[in-house]
Amino acid sequence: MQTTYLGGLGLVGAVIRSIGVRHDGAHQLVTDGLYVDLRRALRNPADDPSMRYGTGLDADVYAHVLATPGARELIARTAVQLRALADEVPVGRLARLTVACQGGRHRSVAVAEAVARRVWTGWGGQYGVDVEHHHIDRPVLPPGHRHP
């Protein structure tokens, strides 16, 4: 797992997870908060051989995901929802968002990072945002491969 920390003056206000739903145990990571499944919403960079082995932390993959029609609107809408959720949770509790795609290396990573930056910027750096990429280091899954 890799983690991005966007520090704030106060406590961490939100935790965003990226996951790959085709990995065993992925759904057990979805505990509470918001859930966004990108499998049908955004095109998969893994379909492009030049990006297949990259991740959403790589500039070219990140740009590809954000250039997908509807991606920026989805990110903006999700950031608004996460901030609204954070306003409702009790002090000391975290607002959570899980962003899912097939393998957890490309789309979910890029969108989780973009939402985190947008939320953190919206808070003016007052609160921190942690982004946990649970499957980013896993091997690229072959097309059509399904875990039970």
Side-chain angles (χ1 to χ4, degrees):
M1 179 172 75
Q2 291 186 32
T3 306
T4 301
Y5 302 101
L6 300 175
L9 299 175
L11 299 172
V12 170
V15 174
I16 301 172
R17 296 179 181 121
S18 71
I19 65 169
V21 297
R22 287 174 52 191
H23 293 288
D24 290 334
H27 286 98
Q28 294 167 349
L29 296 169
V30 182
T31 54
D32 59 355
L34 303 172
Y35 178 79
V36 176
D37 188 334
L38 303 173
R39 289 178 290 172
R40 291 195 171 104
L42 303 178
R43 66 179 174 247
N44 191 354
D47 294 338
D48 181 333
S50 70
M51 289 185 258
R52 184 161 178 74
Y53 296 99
T55 74
L57 297 178
D58 297 324
D60 61 334
V61 176
Y62 183 85
H64 177 86
V65 171
L66 268 61
T68 301
R72 292 186 187 277
E73 294 81 4
L74 182 143
I75 290 163
R77 189 171 53 250
T78 303
V80 166
Q81 292 171 334
L82 185 58
R83 286 189 60 199
L85 178 62
D87 288 344
E88 298 300 320
V89 298
V91 174
R93 305 255 339 247
L94 297 169
R96 295 185 188 277
L97 165 65
T98 303
V99 183
C101 67
Q102 292 286 354
R105 293 177 52 95
H106 302 98
R107 293 170 288 183
S108 63
V109 170
V111 168
E113 290 285 331
V115 169
R117 286 187 184 100
R118 196 170 183 109
V119 167
W120 184 78
T121 300
W123 282 336
Q126 287 296 112
Y127 302 100
V129 179
D130 291 348
V131 188
E132 302 171 346
H133 302 297
H134 286 267
H135 299 115
I136 193 170
D137 296 323
R138 299 276 179 96
V140 174
L141 296 173
H145 178 73
R146 301 281 178 207
H147 284 278

